[in-house]
Amino acid sequence: MKKILMVLTNASKIDDEHETGLWLSEFAEPYEEFKNQGYGVDVASLKGGRIPLDPNSLEDGDLVEKWKGVTKELDQTLVLSQLNMEEYVGIFLPGGHGTMFDLPDSPELKSALAHFADNNKAIGAVCHGPAGFVGTKLSNGKWLVEGKNMTGFTNEEEQQTGLDSLMPFLLESREQGAKFEKSEPWSDYVITDGKFVTGQNPQSSQSTAEAFIKALS
């Protein structure tokens, strides 16, 4: 069975007043789509173990109940550095504000992403997930996102959350040679550039997963 690697944040706080973590739907919708399409899915994080969930992503009790089986995958995630990237056909990064605080500084994630890019494997991310791309260089010395058409959580959306001043950077502004595209705030929007697939926000999670599956094939 072909396998996809999903890499999640371990960060649980923005500051002392704001809890954060993984945005549940950005994990659950792609995870279910990948499984439904016949792929194996390994769920990893930088530290392994239990994944914190952004409290704001749990407000729809019906969805939380629906995804109860999926969230069991978040109780004991694998440690990214202990995995063999050769085993996976694609890597996918869900968002949540937590990603802004731990993914950009991870040498293990940078190494993993470089492997997927250098071997022309699928790379996907949604919402704040592209924070994991920041600072990643390929074996040829170029930025991972250089020349790529991509999207992610926009500056306008970040401002509307009221958290923009608390972020270490804004995704849209961290270009590194990427061609950032966007749609209206909170609209379902996905960009596919070869095997590089990105979605703008939580509303784009399902569409991003579907586009990622197409990129794999």
Side-chain angles (χ1 to χ4, degrees):
M1 180 186 287
K2 293 180 178 179
K3 290 201 297 183
I4 295 169
L5 177 62
M6 298 184 78
V7 181
L8 315 180
T9 179
N10 293 116
S12 62
K13 287 185 178 295
I14 294 175
D15 59 19
D16 290 339
E17 296 178 12
H18 297 87
E19 292 184 22
T20 188
L22 168 71
W23 195 269
L24 178 57
S25 66
E26 294 171 25
F27 167 75
E29 291 179 349
Y31 179 89
E32 287 189 328
E33 181 65 22
F34 301 157
K35 297 289 277 191
N36 290 341
Q37 295 300 324
Y39 288 87
V41 182
D42 279 353
V43 183
S45 58
L46 306 185
K47 298 177 181 177
R50 190 177 182 85
I51 298 300
L53 291 171
D54 189 308
N56 294 316
S57 73
L58 306 176
E59 291 179 349
D60 187 331
D62 291 339
L63 280 178
V64 173
E65 183 66 25
K66 173 193 171 190
W67 289 325
K68 189 173 281 186
V70 173
T71 53
K72 289 179 181 175
E73 292 284 345
L74 305 176
D75 290 340
Q76 189 58 49
T77 58
L78 303 169
V79 179
L80 179 63
S81 62
Q82 297 176 357
L83 302 180
N84 177 7
M85 296 304 116
E86 299 285 353
E87 295 181 6
Y88 304 100
V89 296
I91 186 171
F92 191 91
L93 311 181
H97 280 99
T99 60
M100 300 287 285
F101 294 90
D102 62 349
L103 296 194
D105 298 322
S106 169
E108 294 83 9
L109 180 56
K110 288 177 171 54
S111 174
L113 289 166
H115 163 83
F116 284 90
D118 287 337
N119 289 279
N120 195 33
K121 296 184 185 181
I123 296 174
V126 64
C127 198
H128 287 92
F133 301 156
V134 170
T136 300
K137 285 192 172 181
L138 309 182
S139 57
N140 61 11
K142 289 187 176 181
W143 296 115
L144 169 68
V145 299
E146 189 170 326
K148 288 280 193 295
N149 297 299
M150 66 171 293
T151 190
F153 206 60
T154 67
N155 290 358
E156 187 176 359
E157 287 168 325
E158 199 69 86
Q159 288 158 5
Q160 289 179 13
T161 69
L163 298 172
D164 52 307
S165 64
L166 302 178
M167 293 297 108
F169 58 91
L170 295 178
L171 273 178
E172 183 183 339
S173 301
R174 190 61 68 95
E175 295 178 354
Q176 295 185 328
K179 301 169 185 174
F180 193 95
E181 302 177 28
K182 59 186 175 181
S183 186
E184 293 300 311
W186 316 109
S187 58
D188 184 351
Y189 189 64
V190 179
I191 295 287
T192 298
D193 187 340
K195 292 194 174 182
F196 196 80
V197 181
T198 48
Q200 182 171 314
N201 48 39
Q203 288 73 20
S204 312
S205 300
Q206 181 65 33
S207 299
T208 306
E210 292 169 3
F212 186 76
I213 292 292
K214 286 183 181 177
L216 284 170
S217 58

